[in-house]
Amino acid sequence: MKNKRVIILVAVLAFLAGVLILREILFRPGEKLTLLATEPALYQTGVDPNLEKISFQFNQNVEGFNFSFNIFPDFAYQTQIENNQLFIIPEKPLNGEENYLIEIREETSSFYFPLEFITSQKIDENTSIPEEEGGLGDPKAEEEIAKIVLEDYPLFYQTPKTTDSWQADYSQKGELTIFYQSSKNRETIQQEVFAWMESEGVDPQTHNFKWQPVSQINN
């Protein structure tokens, strides 16, 4: 009888340990993962198609994070992480005069960022290089790219949105993930989120939602 109790106690402790480990994986403590800089910069034009790497600099070491990418137009690449920097290394030169979109996300930290840039004309030995004229190229290029981003992510510049009881951020085009305190009523949270969207001039019906209860909101 005593041995049976010991076995049950060990099983319970093992279960609790598993729950704690899972909690650490799903809800990492500490500072929120934040992107500090990219190279090329967001909406940059005239990017060299022969660039060796595309870099993302974060506010913390990212060696333990699991990033995923959606790239259009697609190209073969490798990734490399060094402390707080993530690199995408193209295996071949990029296309010339191409509008690239690189969506990067890290699910466990609810991180998402769409990097857009435009490459310059690809130059080879048989291409004559015209003399440069003054100016910065097409002055409407950045406006056009920004317009495209806002069509898919109308609240791009307002997210992540964090309150004391919930946080909203894009998980993909037209989809917001809402992390909310599990102690709060979901219907109340939903009303608050929709009211915030409407105050920003965005109809909630234009978006899909994922509702994720969590123990606390990290500001």
Side-chain angles (χ1 to χ4, degrees):
M1 186 69 176
K2 183 177 180 180
N3 290 338
K4 185 176 181 180
R5 290 179 179 177
V6 171
I7 293 174
I8 294 175
L9 178 60
V10 170
V12 171
L13 292 176
F15 173 76
L16 292 176
V19 171
L20 291 175
I21 292 173
L22 181 61
R23 180 181 176 184
E24 288 297 317
I25 294 175
L26 295 178
F27 309 110
R28 298 187 181 202
E31 191 175 4
K32 177 179 174 61
L33 182 64
T34 303
L35 184 64
L36 302 179
T38 66
E39 180 61 38
L42 181 62
Y43 305 144
Q44 182 174 337
T45 59
V47 176
D48 185 358
N50 298 303
L51 80 171
E52 295 182 357
K53 60 181 65 176
I54 300 166
S55 64
F56 301 83
Q57 182 179 351
F58 295 89
N59 64 330
Q60 57 187 280
N61 190 310
V62 292
E63 292 181 352
F65 288 87
N66 184 24
F67 292 96
S68 60
F69 309 93
N70 182 31
I71 301 177
F72 181 82
D74 194 17
F75 58 83
Y77 65 90
Q78 297 181 6
T79 60
Q80 179 181 346
I81 293 179
E82 295 180 2
N83 297 320
N84 68 327
Q85 289 189 303
L86 167 67
F87 301 103
I88 294 178
I89 305 173
E91 295 184 357
K92 296 181 180 180
L94 302 182
N95 298 331
E97 298 181 301
E98 187 76 76
N99 183 3
Y100 279 94
L101 168 63
I102 300 178
E103 294 180 315
I104 174 174
R105 55 171 49 86
E106 208 290 324
E107 298 294 346
T108 60
S109 59
S110 186
F111 172 82
Y112 172 80
F113 184 81
L115 173 64
E116 289 205 40
F117 60 87
I118 299 177
T119 55
S120 62
Q121 180 182 5
K122 185 175 292 186
I123 305 299
D124 57 36
E125 296 179 354
N126 299 321
T127 302
S128 59
I129 303 177
E131 294 183 3
E132 292 188 359
E133 299 180 358
L136 298 176
D138 185 356
K140 296 183 179 180
E142 292 189 10
E143 294 181 10
E144 289 299 321
I145 296 177
K147 182 179 179 181
I148 293 173
V149 170
L150 290 177
E151 286 178 355
D152 294 325
Y153 312 94
L155 295 166
F156 177 77
Y157 295 107
Q158 290 81 19
T159 52
K161 170 68 175 180
T162 304
T163 70
D164 292 336
S165 55
W166 56 268
Q167 182 182 83
D169 204 355
Y170 278 104
S171 50
Q172 61 183 7
K173 293 180 181 180
E175 180 178 273
L176 286 170
T177 295
I178 313 298
F179 294 92
Y180 66 95
Q181 287 186 349
S182 55
S183 60
K184 302 293 184 179
N185 181 275
R186 174 173 160 174
E187 292 185 1
T188 301
I189 297 297
Q190 180 173 308
Q191 292 175 1
E192 292 180 6
V193 172
F194 288 179
W196 161 67
M197 295 179 68
E198 291 171 349
S199 71
E200 297 290 349
V202 177
D203 184 352
Q205 294 186 4
T206 62
H207 283 61
N208 295 320
F209 299 89
K210 286 184 178 179
W211 303 91
Q212 299 284 348
V214 295
S215 58
Q216 64 179 12
I217 300 297
N218 294 323
N219 294 319

